Amino acid sequence: MASIGTCLFLFAVICVAAGNSKNDFVTVNCDAEIVGMVGHQSLLNCSLQLSAEVSDVNIRVVRWSKKGRKLPVMVYYEGKWNKAPGYDVAESSWNEKSSNLSMLITSTSVTDDGEYTCTVVTDSGRSEGSTSLRVRAKYSPPEVHSIPEKIIENQDSSLICETGGGYPEGKIRWLDVHDKDWTASSEMEAKQTDDGLFQLSSKLLLKRGSTFDEYKCVVYNARGSKEMEVTFKPSPEKQKGPETHNPTHYVAPLVVIGSLAVGLLLLLVLCRRRQTQLARRPSTRPLMNNPQEVPTQDYDVEKGDDQKTDQ
Ligand SMILES: *[C@@H]1O[C@H](CO)[C@@H](O)[C@H](O)[C@H]1NC(C)=O
Ligand SMILES: *[C@@H]1O[C@H](CO)[C@@H](O)[C@H](O)[C@H]1NC(C)=O
């Protein structure tokens, strides 16, 4: 009986020892997944948790590495931090007793997307935790134009909707005034720019004679939620009658009419002035004491004109 008890006791000791050698008295806890926006800071949040048996540990090594990258992005070893550019310790006052192991990516880019591991070695054992960084970027407001610029009746045409600067790859959908989906009549192309962001361009084919007054281009992100939309009114080309859709077409005649009206008004004012002057002259002349005043005035005006032409 005693030997069985001893065996159980030994077994328990071995189990605990095995557990400790694997996990010791420390655990690294990380957020499972975090979302980072391109161009902004990302905090990969991890902390060191101590088991009840230990109250005080000293950190010897911290290593932050990214899956698929040979060298670690950040290492603490022999009392010194070695950091790749763009990576930093989140806690500014970090020391060997700090439990906050979080890493800060100062300006997130598409290439930062991925899995990260934080390994810690302390004088009470080692542990590691991992976290996923999901990088996102918002698409710019979409812009729509038609080909040709003026939709010609009895001719096929198309609408082009473009957006960019987004990540991951999104989608463009087309809706008409009644929210009927026309995406099946469109073709979308996604291009990745050097910074990894996506440029989306969709072409919607409009069959002759079946064009609506209004179309909506809607941008969806990779998770399938609507990000932005823009309404576009194709401007039809008309043979006769004034154009109402393109402002330049009615602005030009307005300018002509306007300047004609102003010209006529000026002419009218000038004529009236001349008439009143002619009518006044005989009556004002007797009131003036010095008849030379009139020529002086004329001279002054001429002088003014001379000055202008000199400049
Ligand atoms: C980091 O994690 C800690 C503990 O889990 C939490 O209290 C804190 O709010 C987190 N910080 C951020 C910025 O997520
Ligand atoms: C670590 O420090 C950073 C910066 O002060 C803070 O945002 C984060 O929540 C801290 N994380 C934990 C786990 O305490």
Side-chain angles (χ1 to χ4, degrees), residues 277 279-291 294-295 298:
Q277 265 175 3
R280 249 190 222 160
R281 239 168 216 178
S283 60
T284 48
R285 212 166 242 169
L287 288 175
M288 286 189 238
N289 295 328
N290 189 356
V294 176
D298 284 350

Side-chain angles (χ1 to χ4, degrees), residues 20 23-27 49-57 124:
N20 276 349
N23 236 346
D24 297 306
F25 301 106
V26 293
T27 317
Q49 198 190 320
L50 307 182
S51 69
E53 291 94 328
V54 288
S55 54
D56 185 38
V57 298
S124 299

Side-chain angles (χ1 to χ4, degrees), residues 29 31 43-48 89-92 99-102 104:
N29 288 319
D31 289 349
L43 181 81
L44 280 64
N45 200 13
C46 292
S47 61
L48 187 68
V89 185
E91 201 179 56
S92 47
S99 63
N100 189 338
L101 303 168
S102 304
L104 202 65

